[in-house]
Amino acid sequence: MNNMLDFVFAVDDAVTWHMMNLTKNRSHYSFLKVLGPKQINSVQNYGAGIYYNTLVPCNGRIIKYGVISTDTLIDDLLHWKTLYVAGRLQKPVKILTQNENSKLQAALVSNLKSAVTAAFLMLPESFSEEDLYMQIAGLSYTGDFRMIVGEDRSKVQNIVEPNVPHFQKLYSNILQDCPQVVYKHHLGRLEIDKSPEGQFAQLMSLPRTLQQQITSLVDPPGKNRDVEEILLQVAHDPDCGFVVHQGISRIVRSSSVVQSAKTILTAGVLHGKLITTENTDPSGRNRPQQMQMSNTRKDSRWSHDLLNEIVPRIPQGCRVSWVLHGNVQAERK
């Protein structure tokens, strides 16, 4: 079985989208289809705010596609409420089509900057470019219980190693504009400011939910100190990076548990079992690869054919902000 392809649709009106998609593609849904679009949207709003239809045959391949409201997506990108879709968008992806939405565009950039900042706080003073991308790619897996019970533990390495050029393209402008990092090209190393002042500035620019998690970890119950005071204390702590790691872990753990529980409802028991079985395949060959495609001319043409198959299924009259498909994976020689 070929790797499952993963699409994400960001839509402005999820209830209407599901209503019309049920008319066109009712077979894609689990038993929840009998409850109607409003209840499907209610299920969607739990956890990470995304609803997946899985194991859908399409153009000779098997796909799954998620639906998320544009507002929920923007909120996660800016504040890391669940770090579920925001975490996926910290990795190289292929945006197939996108409407003009300045708030979404700004949120996408903000999410990348936040990923760099969080990675800086958890890295040593000097590190390689690949170390940075490994740290960034691992953010959304920090605390994910599936990395213990089902997923390939080398998943982050498998994402980064063949995709370094794509990570460079995604983050080069942000790194060039960051005053706290120095890139020593002759050594292939980056150096960042690990002084308390430097770390405090980074902590203050983290997404709101992560700041809240950090303060709840550090501040004793009942003291109710200002966030700024607590983050200043963390900036002086030798274990600052570990505290940030724990904060991220709390966010990811909660959303991953709820989203996995939703899989039983949205995919159905049989589909949920199939997905779990594929994830635990020791060879890794049958494990669904999250948003993956090859960067070859042949597959580029094929991806456009696939888009032509998917886009006509988007219900008419529903405004879709963008369609997301895949970690762009360079062809191995």
Side-chain angles (χ1 to χ4, degrees), residues 145-217:
F145 81 98
R146 293 171 298 178
M147 297 298 288
I148 301 174
V149 302
E151 293 280 6
D152 182 353
R153 295 186 186 183
S154 62
K155 187 169 189 174
V156 174
Q157 184 176 355
N158 292 339
I159 290 172
V160 173
E161 284 188 349
N163 285 299
V164 170
H166 299 293
F167 275 95
Q168 289 172 329
K169 183 177 180 181
L170 190 61
Y171 287 101
S172 60
N173 289 339
I174 293 174
L175 292 175
Q176 288 173 10
D177 295 338
C178 181
Q180 293 179 316
V181 64
V182 176
Y183 188 18
K184 298 191 173 182
H185 293 272
H186 62 292
L187 297 176
R189 308 285 294 180
L190 294 90
E191 292 186 358
I192 52 174
D193 180 6
K194 299 297 285 186
S195 69
E197 294 78 14
Q199 293 193 138
F200 178 63
Q202 293 165 4
L203 289 165
M204 288 296 293
S205 66
L206 289 175
R208 182 178 63 201
T209 305
L210 180 51
Q211 289 181 340
Q212 291 170 344
Q213 291 292 346
I214 291 172
T215 56
S216 67
L217 282 165

Side-chain angles (χ1 to χ4, degrees), residues 31-49:
F31 68 92
L32 289 177
K33 58 178 170 279
V34 302
L35 301 178
K38 289 185 178 179
Q39 290 303 316
I40 288 175
N41 185 60
S42 296
V43 173
Q44 176 177 313
N45 289 333
Y46 281 106

